[in-house]
Amino acid sequence: QVRLVESGGGSVQAGGSLRLSCAASGPHFSLHTVAWFRQAPGKEREVVAQSGLNTFYSDSVKGRFTISRDNLKNTVYLQMNSLNAEDTAVYYCHARVASRTHWGQGTLVTVSS
């Protein structure tokens, strides 16, 4: 079973940067498609970046966020630059292989003006 633990969230000023990390444990992690989702209060959870056979970024984060992974460390990263208030959300790490999906507990990012 894959277990995901996010870290790196916090409070930053608009225009600042954060790097989120997702540490994974379990088998066959290198075969997983990984993604970052976020959910703001009162809104649906949305995917912001994905890395697998395809690399995907939502339009709202293109050019500002970068997803990367280190399979030797079983870690996924989300580098977030030029943050703005609309990026405020709980960010979740997600991993998927075949029919199995896994979620982290989430880490809160708050961006203030």
Side-chain angles (χ1 to χ4, degrees):
Q1 185 177 18
V2 172
R3 182 172 178 264
L4 307 173
V5 180
E6 301 98 332
S7 62
S11 180
V12 298
Q13 293 269 57
S17 298
L18 285 173
R19 188 175 78 157
L20 306 183
S21 298
C22 172
S25 61
H28 309 301
F29 182 72
S30 64
L31 301 179
H32 284 70
T33 295
V34 297
W36 287 94
F37 288 73
R38 69 185 182 187
Q39 187 167 23
K43 294 189 175 183
E44 295 183 347
R45 188 173 298 185
E46 62 173 343
V47 62
V48 297
Q50 179 177 279
S51 179
L53 294 178
N54 303 308
T55 300
F56 167 84
Y57 296 96
S58 68
D59 289 341
S60 63
V61 309
K62 282 181 180 177
R64 300 188 298 120
F65 290 12
T66 303
I67 187 170
S68 62
R69 64 193 300 174
D70 185 339
N71 286 330
L72 294 179
K73 296 182 178 179
N74 283 356
T75 302
V76 183
Y77 304 97
L78 185 68
Q79 178 67 47
M80 306 186 295
N81 299 324
S82 301
L83 288 162
N84 59 62
E86 294 187 348
D87 296 317
T88 295
V90 176
Y91 285 72
Y92 298 90
C93 183
H94 176 267
R96 178 183 65 199
V97 62
S99 62
R100 298 183 179 274
T101 62
H102 309 275
W103 291 95
Q105 82 286 353
T107 186
L108 177 63
V109 172
T110 302
V111 185
S112 60
S113 301

